[in-house]
Tab-separated table of all heavy atoms in Angstrom:
chain	number	residue	atom	x	y	z
A	1	PRO	N	20.239	4.361	0.809
A	1	PRO	CA	19.971	3.202	1.803
A	1	PRO	C	20.067	3.721	3.274
A	1	PRO	O	20.850	4.565	3.545
A	1	PRO	CB	21.007	2.189	1.449
A	1	PRO	CG	21.411	2.540	0.125
A	1	PRO	CD	21.300	3.923	-0.002
A	2	THR	N	19.133	3.279	4.124
A	2	THR	CA	19.129	3.605	5.569
A	2	THR	C	19.076	2.348	6.334
A	2	THR	O	19.118	1.279	5.891
A	2	THR	CB	17.824	4.378	5.836
A	2	THR	OG1	16.707	3.498	5.750
A	2	THR	CG2	17.722	5.717	4.942
A	3	LEU	N	19.035	2.499	7.719
A	3	LEU	CA	18.904	1.315	8.518
A	3	LEU	C	17.670	0.581	8.203
A	3	LEU	O	17.642	-0.687	8.582
A	3	LEU	CB	18.981	1.682	10.031
A	3	LEU	CG	20.275	2.250	10.543
A	3	LEU	CD1	20.237	2.693	11.972
A	3	LEU	CD2	21.345	1.139	10.453
A	4	GLU	N	16.656	1.090	7.822
A	4	GLU	CA	15.551	0.301	7.444
A	4	GLU	C	15.804	-0.657	6.340
A	4	GLU	O	15.294	-1.670	6.320
A	4	GLU	CB	14.333	1.313	6.994
A	4	GLU	CG	13.050	0.537	6.660
A	4	GLU	CD	11.840	1.347	6.490
A	4	GLU	OE1	11.980	2.587	6.521
A	4	GLU	OE2	10.708	0.783	6.322
A	5	ASP	N	16.555	-0.302	5.418
A	5	ASP	CA	16.971	-1.086	4.321
A	5	ASP	C	17.882	-2.180	4.861
A	5	ASP	O	17.887	-3.370	4.331
A	5	ASP	CB	17.723	-0.319	3.190
A	5	ASP	CG	16.758	0.783	2.579
A	5	ASP	OD1	15.745	0.437	2.081
A	5	ASP	OD2	17.088	1.894	2.734
A	6	VAL	N	18.687	-1.956	5.860
A	6	VAL	CA	19.425	-2.998	6.520
A	6	VAL	C	18.517	-4.012	7.062
A	6	VAL	O	18.644	-5.218	6.951
A	6	VAL	CB	20.335	-2.437	7.572
A	6	VAL	CG1	21.057	-3.509	8.394
A	6	VAL	CG2	21.352	-1.401	7.030
A	7	PHE	N	17.444	-3.510	7.758
A	7	PHE	CA	16.488	-4.460	8.436
A	7	PHE	C	15.845	-5.298	7.296
A	7	PHE	O	15.671	-6.535	7.412
A	7	PHE	CB	15.449	-3.624	9.159
A	7	PHE	CG	14.538	-4.491	9.931
A	7	PHE	CD1	14.860	-4.875	11.281
A	7	PHE	CD2	13.312	-4.903	9.564
A	7	PHE	CE1	14.026	-5.754	11.958
A	7	PHE	CE2	12.461	-5.751	10.260
A	7	PHE	CZ	12.807	-6.067	11.484
A	8	ILE	N	15.397	-4.626	6.211
A	8	ILE	CA	14.813	-5.412	5.177
A	8	ILE	C	15.763	-6.479	4.582
A	8	ILE	O	15.344	-7.619	4.403
A	8	ILE	CB	14.380	-4.430	4.097
A	8	ILE	CG1	13.220	-3.578	4.506
A	8	ILE	CG2	13.966	-5.215	2.712
A	8	ILE	CD1	12.881	-2.453	3.573
A	9	ARG	N	17.064	-6.106	4.488
A	9	ARG	CA	17.910	-7.002	3.823
A	9	ARG	C	18.193	-8.310	4.804
A	9	ARG	O	18.340	-9.419	4.246
A	9	ARG	CB	19.351	-6.309	3.647
A	9	ARG	CG	20.522	-7.189	3.157
A	9	ARG	CD	20.379	-7.677	1.847
A	9	ARG	NE	20.494	-6.487	0.881
A	9	ARG	CZ	20.447	-6.717	-0.443
A	9	ARG	NH1	20.300	-7.829	-0.962
A	9	ARG	NH2	20.603	-5.626	-1.247
A	10	VAL	N	18.218	-8.051	6.107
A	10	VAL	CA	18.544	-9.194	6.910
A	10	VAL	C	17.333	-10.017	7.372
A	10	VAL	O	17.488	-11.162	7.766
A	10	VAL	CB	19.293	-8.727	8.226
A	10	VAL	CG1	20.624	-8.109	7.808
A	10	VAL	CG2	18.518	-7.764	9.046
A	11	THR	N	16.142	-9.471	7.231
A	11	THR	CA	14.955	-10.093	7.623
A	11	THR	C	14.018	-10.518	6.433
A	11	THR	O	13.103	-11.431	6.727
A	11	THR	CB	14.127	-9.350	8.743
A	11	THR	OG1	13.639	-8.111	8.061
A	11	THR	CG2	14.948	-8.862	9.914
A	12	GLY	N	14.114	-9.666	5.437
A	12	GLY	CA	13.251	-10.011	4.282
A	12	GLY	C	11.909	-9.334	4.458
A	12	GLY	O	11.016	-9.580	3.646
A	13	MET	N	11.779	-8.446	5.423
A	13	MET	CA	10.514	-7.745	5.608
A	13	MET	C	10.765	-6.368	6.107
A	13	MET	O	11.786	-6.035	6.616
A	13	MET	CB	9.575	-8.456	6.561
A	13	MET	CG	10.150	-8.545	7.994
A	13	MET	SD	9.037	-9.537	9.100
A	13	MET	CE	9.489	-11.215	8.481
A	14	SER	N	9.839	-5.480	5.867
A	14	SER	CA	9.868	-4.122	6.459
A	14	SER	C	9.602	-4.143	7.942
A	14	SER	O	9.042	-5.162	8.504
A	14	SER	CB	8.952	-3.193	5.686
A	14	SER	OG	7.546	-3.507	6.093
A	15	PHE	N	9.893	-3.013	8.513
A	15	PHE	CA	9.509	-2.786	10.063
A	15	PHE	C	8.105	-3.008	10.182
A	15	PHE	O	7.535	-3.645	11.195
A	15	PHE	CB	9.930	-1.360	10.482
A	15	PHE	CG	11.025	-1.388	11.473
A	15	PHE	CD1	12.166	-2.119	11.313
A	15	PHE	CD2	10.985	-0.464	12.600
A	15	PHE	CE1	13.166	-2.173	12.171
A	15	PHE	CE2	12.064	-0.525	13.477
A	15	PHE	CZ	13.114	-1.254	13.261
A	16	GLU	N	7.299	-2.403	9.386
A	16	GLU	CA	5.839	-2.472	9.619
A	16	GLU	C	5.404	-4.048	9.404
A	16	GLU	O	4.514	-4.524	10.242
A	16	GLU	CB	5.033	-1.683	8.427
A	16	GLU	CG	5.167	-0.227	8.616
A	16	GLU	CD	6.501	0.314	8.139
A	16	GLU	OE1	7.356	-0.562	7.524
A	16	GLU	OE2	6.865	1.528	8.285
A	17	GLU	N	5.901	-4.780	8.509
A	17	GLU	CA	5.488	-6.168	8.333
A	17	GLU	C	5.960	-6.905	9.543
A	17	GLU	O	5.285	-7.875	9.970
A	17	GLU	CB	6.232	-6.676	7.069
A	17	GLU	CG	5.487	-6.111	5.761
A	17	GLU	CD	6.401	-6.562	4.561
A	17	GLU	OE1	7.599	-6.477	4.519
A	17	GLU	OE2	5.735	-7.056	3.546
A	18	ALA	N	7.207	-6.602	10.047
A	18	ALA	CA	7.726	-7.438	11.294
A	18	ALA	C	6.904	-7.018	12.426
A	18	ALA	O	6.619	-7.934	13.258
A	18	ALA	CB	9.127	-6.850	11.480
A	19	GLU	N	6.382	-5.862	12.592
A	19	GLU	CA	5.491	-5.539	13.572
A	19	GLU	C	4.184	-6.304	13.672
A	19	GLU	O	3.616	-6.800	14.578
A	19	GLU	CB	5.165	-4.056	13.684
A	19	GLU	CG	6.439	-3.257	14.220
A	19	GLU	CD	6.112	-1.773	14.531
A	19	GLU	OE1	5.085	-1.355	14.017
A	19	GLU	OE2	6.888	-1.125	15.233
A	20	ARG	N	3.586	-6.441	12.421
A	20	ARG	CA	2.406	-7.193	12.316
A	20	ARG	C	2.545	-8.637	12.581
A	20	ARG	O	1.824	-9.302	13.189
A	20	ARG	CB	1.779	-6.935	10.824
A	20	ARG	CG	1.204	-5.646	10.623
A	20	ARG	CD	0.435	-5.670	9.268
A	20	ARG	NE	1.170	-5.857	8.037
A	20	ARG	CZ	1.835	-4.942	7.352
A	20	ARG	NH1	1.599	-3.632	7.753
A	20	ARG	NH2	2.406	-5.194	6.345
A	21	ALA	N	3.780	-9.232	12.031
A	21	ALA	CA	4.104	-10.597	12.205
A	21	ALA	C	4.281	-10.916	13.824
A	21	ALA	O	3.981	-11.975	14.219
A	21	ALA	CB	5.275	-10.978	11.424
A	22	GLY	N	4.830	-9.923	14.443
A	22	GLY	CA	5.208	-10.083	15.953
A	22	GLY	C	4.162	-9.591	16.847
A	22	GLY	O	4.296	-9.739	18.055
A	23	TYR	N	3.037	-9.039	16.343
A	23	TYR	CA	2.097	-8.393	17.268
A	23	TYR	C	1.469	-9.360	18.329
A	23	TYR	O	1.518	-9.064	19.415
A	23	TYR	CB	0.979	-7.825	16.361
A	23	TYR	CG	-0.046	-7.215	17.279
A	23	TYR	CD1	0.056	-5.917	17.917
A	23	TYR	CD2	-1.336	-7.965	17.513
A	23	TYR	CE1	-0.867	-5.395	18.658
A	23	TYR	CE2	-2.299	-7.283	18.382
A	23	TYR	CZ	-2.093	-6.068	18.853
A	23	TYR	OH	-3.038	-5.511	19.655
A	24	ARG	N	1.165	-10.528	17.884
A	24	ARG	CA	0.561	-11.505	18.786
A	24	ARG	C	1.556	-11.924	19.827
A	24	ARG	O	1.136	-12.103	21.094
A	24	ARG	CB	-0.039	-12.731	18.072
A	24	ARG	CG	-1.261	-12.446	17.125
A	24	ARG	CD	-1.728	-13.662	16.421
A	24	ARG	NE	-2.944	-13.324	15.683
A	24	ARG	CZ	-3.591	-14.238	14.937
A	24	ARG	NH1	-3.224	-15.453	14.819
A	24	ARG	NH2	-4.700	-13.773	14.235
A	25	GLU	N	2.774	-12.188	19.386
A	25	GLU	CA	3.828	-12.633	20.432
A	25	GLU	C	3.988	-11.474	21.392
A	25	GLU	O	4.130	-11.711	22.526
A	25	GLU	CB	5.082	-12.909	19.696
A	25	GLU	CG	5.018	-14.209	18.872
A	25	GLU	CD	4.584	-14.106	17.521
A	25	GLU	OE1	3.906	-12.983	17.188
A	25	GLU	OE2	4.717	-14.978	16.644
A	26	ALA	N	4.050	-10.234	20.912
A	26	ALA	CA	4.255	-9.108	21.880
A	26	ALA	C	3.123	-9.053	22.848
A	26	ALA	O	3.223	-8.730	23.961
A	26	ALA	CB	4.384	-7.871	21.025
A	27	ALA	N	1.836	-9.183	22.410
A	27	ALA	CA	0.714	-9.009	23.156
A	27	ALA	C	0.672	-10.102	24.155
A	27	ALA	O	0.385	-9.920	25.414
A	27	ALA	CB	-0.588	-9.115	22.294
A	28	ARG	N	1.086	-11.372	23.899
A	28	ARG	CA	1.121	-12.464	24.882
A	28	ARG	C	2.216	-12.189	25.971
A	28	ARG	O	1.931	-12.292	27.066
A	28	ARG	CB	1.455	-13.747	24.171
A	28	ARG	CG	0.314	-14.297	23.269
A	28	ARG	CD	0.819	-15.475	22.509
A	28	ARG	NE	1.102	-16.503	23.368
A	28	ARG	CZ	1.766	-17.614	22.953
A	28	ARG	NH1	2.076	-17.824	21.630
A	28	ARG	NH2	2.011	-18.645	23.809
A	29	ALA	N	3.395	-11.604	25.535
A	29	ALA	CA	4.416	-11.263	26.403
A	29	ALA	C	3.963	-10.211	27.396
A	29	ALA	O	4.319	-10.265	28.558
A	29	ALA	CB	5.633	-10.767	25.704
A	30	ARG	N	3.302	-9.068	26.905
A	30	ARG	CA	2.860	-8.080	27.750
A	30	ARG	C	1.862	-8.581	28.750
A	30	ARG	O	1.858	-8.175	29.923
A	30	ARG	CB	2.160	-6.847	26.924
A	30	ARG	CG	3.209	-6.159	26.038
A	30	ARG	CD	2.606	-4.961	25.426
A	30	ARG	NE	3.557	-4.292	24.638
A	30	ARG	CZ	3.615	-4.265	23.353
A	30	ARG	NH1	2.662	-5.054	22.662
A	30	ARG	NH2	4.516	-3.602	22.588
A	31	ARG	N	0.988	-9.432	28.436
A	31	ARG	CA	-0.062	-10.134	29.346
A	31	ARG	C	0.676	-10.842	30.324
A	31	ARG	O	0.404	-10.814	31.584
A	31	ARG	CB	-1.033	-10.980	28.510
A	31	ARG	CG	-2.050	-10.124	27.657
A	31	ARG	CD	-3.221	-11.019	27.342
A	31	ARG	NE	-2.898	-12.045	26.462
A	31	ARG	CZ	-2.889	-12.009	25.106
A	31	ARG	NH1	-3.142	-10.910	24.561
A	31	ARG	NH2	-2.495	-13.054	24.415
A	32	ALA	N	1.748	-11.629	29.903
A	32	ALA	CA	2.513	-12.414	30.837
A	32	ALA	C	3.258	-11.477	31.829
A	32	ALA	O	3.326	-11.789	33.058
A	32	ALA	CB	3.463	-13.295	30.170
A	33	ILE	N	3.866	-10.390	31.367
A	33	ILE	CA	4.453	-9.436	32.263
A	33	ILE	C	3.533	-8.883	33.284
A	33	ILE	O	3.719	-8.708	34.499
A	33	ILE	CB	5.133	-8.246	31.429
A	33	ILE	CG1	6.238	-8.808	30.639
A	33	ILE	CG2	5.640	-7.130	32.342
A	33	ILE	CD1	6.851	-7.790	29.632
A	34	ALA	N	2.352	-8.479	32.711
A	34	ALA	CA	1.321	-7.907	33.763
A	34	ALA	C	0.857	-8.887	34.845
A	34	ALA	O	0.550	-8.478	35.948
A	34	ALA	CB	0.048	-7.511	32.884
A	35	ARG	N	1.000	-10.187	34.576
A	35	ARG	CA	0.656	-11.227	35.527
A	35	ARG	C	1.867	-11.564	36.357
A	35	ARG	O	1.742	-12.476	37.193
A	35	ARG	CB	0.063	-12.511	34.794
A	35	ARG	CG	-1.255	-12.284	34.220
A	35	ARG	CD	-1.856	-13.652	33.764
A	35	ARG	NE	-1.121	-14.212	32.724
A	35	ARG	CZ	-1.445	-14.103	31.437
A	35	ARG	NH1	-2.468	-13.322	31.068
A	35	ARG	NH2	-0.765	-14.703	30.536
């Protein structure tokens, strides 16, 4: 087990899945920062 397995345990998803799930939110935040 590694820290990735810790992340899976506490969120129910892998890093890759979390990035896909949060991509739109991150993109909106970056656009807001740029403005």
Side-chain angles (χ1 to χ4, degrees):
T2 66
L3 287 177
E4 182 170 7
D5 300 298
V6 174
F7 187 84
I8 290 170
R9 174 70 70 179
V10 297
T11 66
M13 65 183 77
S14 69
F15 247 43
E16 291 80 3
E17 290 171 315
E19 287 189 340
R20 288 195 294 271
Y23 176 78
R24 290 183 180 177
E25 289 88 342
R28 290 173 62 192
R30 290 191 183 100
R31 287 195 296 270
I33 292 171
R35 290 192 293 267

